Amino acid sequence: MSGINIDEPRWDQGTYMGRARHFFTTTNPLNLFATPSQLDNAKLIVDKYRSGESVNLSDDEIWAAKHLYDSAFHPDTGEKMYLIGRMSAQVPMNMTITGCMLTFYKSTPAVVFWQWINQSFNALVNYTNRSGDSPITVKQLGTSYVLATGGALVTALGLNSLVKSMPPLMGRLVPFTAVAAANCVNIPLMRMRELKEGVSLIDENGNNVGQSTVAAKKGILSVCISRILMASPGMVIPPLIMNKLERKGTLRRYPWISAPLQVALCGVLLAVATPACCALFPQKSSISVSRLEKEVQEKINMLPNPPSVVYYNKGL
């Protein structure tokens, strides 16, 4: 039997390149084309390997099965996830939604429709990838969905009214501002339990040493930064290109090109930005014990051989 640790990523998560390679594999849209029988076979291989059974496969074949398994099955429950809620659906779904938000940004009904579609997709992704240990309640999901959608709409419609007298480029950048604002509302609300009760802390040996709201805040801030930076290339570069084409008169001559061109541009940019920004911060993040809240420091320092650094899951 091979000696690989199938429960850890294939590449070193202590380096940015290792994390980037992991997320390029996880978000690969080609995984969406795997048939149900291919997914079930990948699950069978992973389950057999974990139980110690002989699978008679090379390391590369085992890792290929693991990556396909990770792309479709929930890490905690083992259930097959909704197709468009999987990480491998992020690029094709976001490129379509983002491209349409950037194209149809002037009409109020269109702004309402596409911001609503975007937040509905985000809610489905959050529900599909919910933690098995700390599941998102229906009330929590609904509250986050309503407030994030409301925040995005208020930002988009409010800014649209303010930029009417400004250069056209300012109007094209409104969707990005609305999405950034919605992320700042949505992510903390979805993880409200962590903000109230704290996130689990472990030492270097994997032992649970406490809960910390300070670590939770740090993790949520990291995720907010990653999500906003992830959206930036696809929501900033296409408007710059389209603004230039508009000044040259290209869009007047070929008005039909706007939506497909922006969807395609978003696809190329998101294919790189999604895994690149997911990898910015380690999934297993560290924090010095001296930076934790006082009562948590005291609890950890009472342990035999207390650690000076602890670790927590920052989330995605």
Side-chain angles (χ1 to χ4, degrees):
M1 180 177 173
S2 176
I4 63 176
N5 183 358
I6 205 169
D7 293 318
E8 293 290 335
R10 184 173 189 176
W11 299 282
D12 180 10
Q13 297 300 285
T15 67
Y16 175 78
M17 288 308 299
R19 296 194 297 272
R21 292 184 73 181
H22 169 69
F23 282 110
F24 267 104
T25 304
T26 305
T27 61
N28 184 357
L30 295 177
N31 290 329
L32 292 174
F33 296 102
T35 64
S37 61
Q38 287 175 316
L39 294 177
D40 291 338
N41 184 57
K43 186 176 189 301
L44 182 65
I45 291 170
V46 170
D47 288 344
K48 278 186 174 182
Y49 188 87
R50 278 178 172 156
S51 66
E53 292 184 46
S54 175
V55 292
N56 195 29
L57 295 171
S58 67
D59 284 4
D60 285 341
E61 289 171 322
I62 293 171
W63 277 119
K66 176 62 163 53
H67 293 149
L68 191 56
Y69 170 84
D70 286 344
S71 77
F73 294 91
H74 193 282
D76 294 332
T77 65
E79 296 176 355
K80 194 178 290 184
M81 297 184 285
Y82 298 117
L83 186 71
I84 63 173
R86 300 173 189 170
M87 286 300 289
S88 50
Q90 286 289 297
V91 172
M93 289 300 298
N94 275 322
M95 66 184 275
T96 304
I97 295 171
T98 302
C100 289
M101 280 195 294
L102 294 176
T103 302
F104 308 108
Y105 67 95
K106 292 182 179 179
S107 156
T108 297
V111 169
V112 171
F113 177 76
W114 285 109
Q115 289 291 345
W116 168 68
I117 288 289
N118 186 46
Q119 293 308 321
S120 297
F121 172 63
N122 287 341
L124 180 59
V125 170
N126 287 330
Y127 179 77
T128 303
N129 293 279
R130 66 198 182 280
S131 168
D133 296 327
S134 302
I136 300 168
T137 64
V138 174
K139 181 180 178 182
Q140 186 181 5
L141 186 68
T143 302
S144 172
Y145 173 58
V146 170
L147 291 179
T149 304
L153 288 174
V154 168
T155 304
L157 296 175
L159 287 177
N160 269 349
S161 65
L162 290 175
V163 300
K164 285 179 180 177
S165 59
M166 297 183 185
L169 178 60
M170 300 304 293
R172 290 186 178 277
L173 293 174
V174 166
F176 169 62
T177 309
V179 166
N183 274 327
C184 293
V185 172
N186 190 27
I187 296 167
L189 281 172
M190 292 300 292
R191 297 174 62 177
M192 187 59 70
R193 180 178 295 185
E194 292 178 29
L195 290 173
K196 290 180 179 178
E197 301 174 9
V199 67
S200 295
L201 303 172
I202 59 172
D203 62 17
E204 59 183 5
N205 298 315
N207 301 312
N208 193 308
V209 294
Q211 301 274 123
S212 170
T213 57
V214 170
K217 291 173 185 174
K218 187 183 175 197
I220 290 169
L221 177 61
S222 298
V223 172
C224 287
I225 292 170
S226 293
R227 295 275 188 96
I228 291 170
L229 291 177
M230 194 185 300
S232 299
M235 299 196 80
V236 173
I237 295 175
L240 294 173
I241 294 172
M242 299 307 289
N243 194 58
K244 191 169 184 179
L245 292 176
E246 189 172 42
R247 288 205 307 267
K248 287 185 173 182
T250 306
L251 298 184
R252 283 195 300 275
R253 293 194 299 273
Y254 309 102
W256 54 269
I257 202 175
S258 183
L261 179 57
Q262 291 193 89
V263 169
L265 285 170
C266 288
V268 172
L269 293 164
L270 284 168
V272 177
T274 299
C277 291
C278 281
L280 285 175
F281 304 97
Q283 188 71 26
K284 183 181 177 182
S285 293
S286 62
I287 186 170
S288 170
V289 171
S290 62
R291 294 183 58 193
L292 300 173
E293 48 267 64
K294 197 167 185 179
E295 60 273 18
V296 178
Q297 290 184 44
E298 291 173 354
K299 180 182 176 182
I300 292 174
N301 288 330
M302 288 174 65
L303 296 171
N305 301 315
S308 58
V309 175
V310 290
Y311 304 88
Y312 63 95
N313 184 353
K314 77 166 178 65
L316 277 175

